[in-house]
Amino acid sequence: MTNQRKGRDFIARHGETVFNLARRMQGDHPHTPLTRAGFAQADAMGAALREILGPKPRLTMWSSSAGRALQTLAIIAEHLELDWHQAHQDDRLVEIGMGEWSGRYYADLMTEAPGFLNLEHGLYNRAPPGGEWYDGIAVRVSSWLADTDDDPGDRLVIMHGMSSRILRGVMTRLPVSPLFDAPVAPDLPQGSVVRIEGGVETVVHTGSGRHSAPA
C-alpha cells in the first residue's frame, strides 16, 4: 500500500481513561471515559496543535468511533475553534480487538496467561482468544488510508495506542515486523501527537500518559 496523501497528517493518541488507570484490557471497548489526567493530556494536545496550526485551521478531522477518542477530539477541537460535529468517525481506526480478554485486568491475565505481554515492545506476544492480531489492524487502517487519500490539505486523526502505531508504520513504510506481522512505529505515551508528511514522521508533542501496554 502506497500512501498518496499530499497534505500533513497529525496522528494523536487519546488521553488516559478509567480503564487505563485501573490497568484493565480496553481494546475496542467503545466507551471508556477520560480521567482528569486524560482531560489534561487532551488540553495539552489542543494547545500544542493551536501553536502549530493557529485558530480555525483548514483541517479535516477524523476519529476512531470509540468514546474516549471522540471525547479527546472534543477538547482539541475547542482549542482549534473547530466544530466537533464536522468530524468524521470510522470503525477502522479503533483499538485492537481484545476478544475474550476484553475488560479483564492485566494482573489477572499475567497469572492466567503468563508471557502474553511483550514488555520490551509494549505489545502482545499472541492474539487474544477471539480477538485481533496486528496484521488485521494493518489491513483495516490501510483500507481507511486508501479510502481517504483525497482528503484536502491537513488532517487530524484521533485514535489509540496500538492501532496508531500500526497506522504510523504503514504511513511511514516501515518493514513488517516478524514478531507482530505488521509494520509497527515506535511507542509514544498517551496524549502524544505526531506529524506525518511525505512518509516522514516527526513527534510534535509528547504526552504525559503511559505507554501502549496496558492499552
Side-chain angles (χ1 to χ4, degrees):
M1 184 269 171
T2 301
N3 184 23
Q4 302 297 320
R5 282 274 298 146
K6 301 298 190 296
R8 299 177 297 176
D9 286 283
F10 293 88
I11 313 296
R13 184 180 175 191
H14 68 76
E16 181 190 79
T17 73
V18 294
F19 268 48
N20 297 140
L21 185 62
R23 297 183 64 83
R24 291 183 67 182
M25 285 280 197
Q26 190 165 221
D28 56 349
H29 195 290
H31 302 304
T32 52
L34 301 183
T35 61
R36 286 188 297 170
F39 278 108
Q41 291 156 10
D43 252 335
M45 283 190 282
L49 285 167
R50 186 182 175 104
E51 283 292 316
I52 296 167
L53 299 168
K56 299 182 179 179
R58 295 177 62 86
L59 189 70
T60 303
M61 295 183 292
W62 282 92
S63 177
S64 157
S65 52
R68 58 195 184 273
L70 291 165
Q71 197 173 19
T72 299
L73 177 58
I75 297 167
I76 294 173
E78 187 174 347
H79 277 275
L80 298 176
E81 299 180 40
L82 297 177
D83 182 1
W84 177 90
H85 298 91
Q86 299 303 311
H88 307 281
Q89 301 178 34
D90 201 298
D91 291 340
R92 291 173 292 183
L93 300 174
V94 300
E95 184 58 297
I96 185 171
M98 290 298 187
E100 294 177 16
W101 289 352
S102 181
R104 299 291 307 281
Y105 286 91
Y106 271 76
D108 292 339
L109 284 170
M110 286 176 180
T111 299
E112 296 173 19
F116 82 94
L117 189 60
N118 189 313
L119 294 173
E120 178 184 358
H121 296 282
L123 298 168
Y124 304 126
N125 282 320
R126 58 181 181 273
E132 188 176 29
W133 191 235
Y134 298 104
D135 55 351
I137 299 176
V139 169
R140 59 177 165 88
V141 298
S142 295
S143 170
W144 174 80
L145 282 169
D147 288 348
T148 60
D149 273 346
D150 292 336
D151 280 349
D154 293 341
R155 67 181 174 189
L156 172 64
V157 185
I158 312 295
M159 46 191 307
H160 308 269
M162 294 189 187
S163 60
S164 69
R165 292 177 66 183
I166 306 302
L167 175 65
R168 291 161 48 215
V170 170
M171 294 181 72
T172 57
R173 304 177 182 89
L174 294 180
V176 172
S177 165
L179 288 176
F180 307 112
D181 301 321
V184 185
D187 194 8
L188 290 171
Q190 288 168 332
S192 295
V193 185
V194 303
R195 180 183 67 242
I196 298 178
E197 184 173 13
V200 177
E201 176 177 283
T202 303
V203 178
V204 297
H205 177 73
T206 301
S208 61
R210 70 174 76 244
H211 287 252
S212 283

